[in-house]
Amino acid sequence: MSLGTIQINRLNLFQGELSEVEMHFLFIGLGDTNVGSVLSMSQETDLDNDLGGSDSVLKTQVQAAMDNAGQNWSASVMPIAAETDWQDAVDFAMEVTSCEAIVLTDEITAGTDIEAMQTKANNIMATYMRPVFFMCAVRGCNTETETWAAYTTAMAAITDGIAADSVAVVPYLWGHDLGTLAGRLCDSSVTVADSPMRVATGPLSGIWSNKPVDSDGAAISMAYLTTMDSNRFSVPQWYPDYDGMYWGDCSMLDVDAGDYQVVEHLRVINKCIRKIKPLVIARIGDRRLNSTPASIAENKTYFMRPLRAMSKSVTINGLTFPGEIRPPESDSIVISWTDNETVVIYITAQPYTCPKKITVNLALDLSTE
């Protein structure tokens, strides 16, 4: 004989929303107010109150980011003292905040600084399984002693031979360049898959009509900006007979033929990592993921969920705004068991093509009706 019993279990199928840190950047630089604190900022923040009333490079870049990001901008900002090592500041900040990118506003002077940032990005990924990329700046042209030719040659030595696919370098030509690019990358009217080169996003905000000059009094030209771009610096640009200032590629210091030579490719794959990570953790020790064909098919659908969300397009009045990646195919995910306890999952995300060089050929049609 027995007594009747029931048991009701609340199951978690992990179907909820996945958190996002995209377009939230961490700015670190010298400051004299709130030193050592990680500040949360938005469009309503009073920079004079949080970063002090005096001018600073950090404050200038944060203001430029705020001006160029538009609505719903948010960022973390950490002022540091002159004796503080930026790497120690990053380690501290990683304990209290998450971000998509780390922006170091104080000028670097050598390729070893870039290599240190790449190493730090790798260490953060190893420690927290948190993908980030770095943005940093080099000095502008010395208007007393340097010509543009001498300046571009000196700067080329900093990035020459450097392999760092998680670092972008911006020259301080106008003085607010780094913050402007950081803000443009955080414009919520576009996605992480969009290039800062996108003209339809609008011109850069800020003062850009005062072109910097060299020791000969010559204003910067597109020829020297092109040279800096070829040396893998991220620089602004303009188009003849077209109003406004715009940006070029945000170049990452990846190797030739590398997949992550531009920031939008890196941002897309980093977002995929952040989205898939919690789904993977939730499957640890769960026998629903096993080596049977039915389980593999079911879990391919499960792990494909972030890719489907990122691939959603919207069509308005016949105009299609594509998703961040192409819709995944059946072979976009492959699940392979290497032994009874170890599974390897291969996932591919395919970005859309993007026109950055457009050629138009015009010809007369002189045929008669």
Side-chain angles (χ1 to χ4, degrees):
M1 304 293 292
S2 64
L3 297 177
T5 62
I6 67 169
Q7 178 173 324
I8 300 176
N9 299 317
R10 184 182 64 184
L11 303 180
N12 192 336
L13 301 182
F14 299 96
Q15 302 171 94
E17 293 296 321
L18 297 170
S19 61
E20 294 189 356
V21 299
E22 283 74 30
M23 300 188 184
H24 185 89
F25 287 9
L26 167 65
F27 292 78
I28 297 177
L30 295 178
D32 54 15
T33 303
N34 290 314
V35 174
S37 299
V38 178
L39 309 173
S40 297
M41 297 196 173
S42 67
Q43 287 288 3
E44 291 75 33
T45 299
D46 184 342
L47 295 186
D48 288 339
N49 180 69
D50 284 14
L51 298 179
S54 58
D55 292 336
S56 69
V57 175
L58 174 62
K59 185 178 175 182
T60 297
Q61 305 317 311
V62 173
Q63 182 66 65
M66 182 184 297
D67 293 340
N68 283 272
Q71 303 175 55
N72 300 314
W73 173 78
S74 69
S76 296
V77 179
M78 184 177 180
I80 60 174
E83 63 272 14
T84 302
D85 187 279
W86 66 263
Q87 298 195 52
D88 294 334
V90 169
D91 290 339
F92 174 81
M94 289 297 98
E95 294 291 339
V96 298
T97 188
S98 293
C99 60
E100 183 187 6
I102 300 171
V103 184
L104 303 181
T105 61
D106 298 307
E107 299 169 1
I108 66 166
T109 58
T112 52
D113 298 323
I114 300 172
E115 292 172 322
M117 293 177 207
Q118 179 69 28
T119 300
K120 180 59 70 175
N122 293 341
N123 290 342
I124 292 172
M125 184 64 185
T127 302
Y128 302 98
M129 206 173 295
R130 185 184 297 168
V132 298
F133 66 93
F134 279 81
M135 299 175 65
C136 61
V138 295
R139 66 175 178 85
C141 181
N142 188 322
T143 59
E144 301 295 327
T145 61
E146 277 183 320
T147 63
W148 287 117
Y151 171 73
T152 53
T153 300
M155 294 302 101
I158 295 178
T159 56
D160 184 42
I162 299 296
D165 64 6
S166 294
V167 182
V169 187
V170 180
Y172 278 142
L173 299 174
W174 274 261
H176 46 75
D177 312 62
L178 179 61
T180 297
L181 175 57
R184 197 164 178 86
L185 293 177
C186 294
D187 188 334
S188 58
S189 68
V190 290
T191 72
V192 297
D194 285 291
S195 168
M197 186 188 294
R198 186 175 183 268
V199 173
T201 306
L204 306 179
S205 295
I207 305 301
W208 294 94
S209 57
N210 56 339
K211 294 179 181 178
V213 297
D214 63 5
S215 59
D216 291 339
I220 186 73
S221 67
M222 279 303 304
Y224 286 110
L225 290 175
T226 301
T227 297
M228 298 207 74
D229 173 74
S230 67
N231 290 327
R232 301 186 294 171
F233 290 95
S234 299
V235 294
Q237 70 171 108
W238 63 85
Y239 299 91
D241 300 325
Y242 196 92
D243 294 334
M245 182 73 82
Y246 301 87
W247 205 271
D249 265 330
C250 178
S251 301
M252 311 306 294
L253 302 185
D254 197 3
V255 298
D256 285 346
D259 290 340
Y260 307 113
Q261 298 185 52
V262 290
V263 74
E264 58 267 27
H265 288 172
L266 180 66
R267 297 181 83 190
V268 162
I269 205 66
N270 281 356
K271 183 173 182 178
C272 289
I273 292 172
R274 283 187 285 265
K275 293 291 189 182
I276 289 172
K277 171 187 170 182
L279 301 183
V280 175
I281 294 174
R283 279 294 188 258
I284 293 292
D286 190 336
R287 290 187 300 120
R288 285 179 295 175
L289 175 55
N290 55 63
S291 58
T292 64
S295 173
I296 289 176
E298 175 187 339
N299 281 279
K300 285 178 66 173
T301 301
Y302 170 75
F303 289 118
M304 198 177 288
R305 175 182 148 204
L307 303 184
R308 291 196 304 269
M310 291 175 63
S311 69
K312 288 182 179 178
S313 299
V314 177
T315 301
I316 302 175
N317 290 333
L319 296 176
T320 299
F321 296 86
E324 295 164 323
I325 57 174
R326 291 179 180 271
E329 305 288 345
S330 60
D331 59 352
S332 295
I333 296 182
V334 175
I335 299 177
S336 175
W337 284 84
T338 58
D339 57 45
N340 287 337
E341 296 182 345
T342 306
V343 63
V344 180
I345 304 172
Y346 300 88
I347 302 175
T348 58
Q350 184 179 10
Y352 285 90
T353 53
C354 178
K356 296 181 178 178
K357 296 180 180 179
I358 301 177
T359 300
V360 179
N361 298 307
L362 300 178
L364 287 173
D365 181 359
L366 297 179
S367 60
T368 58
E369 294 183 2

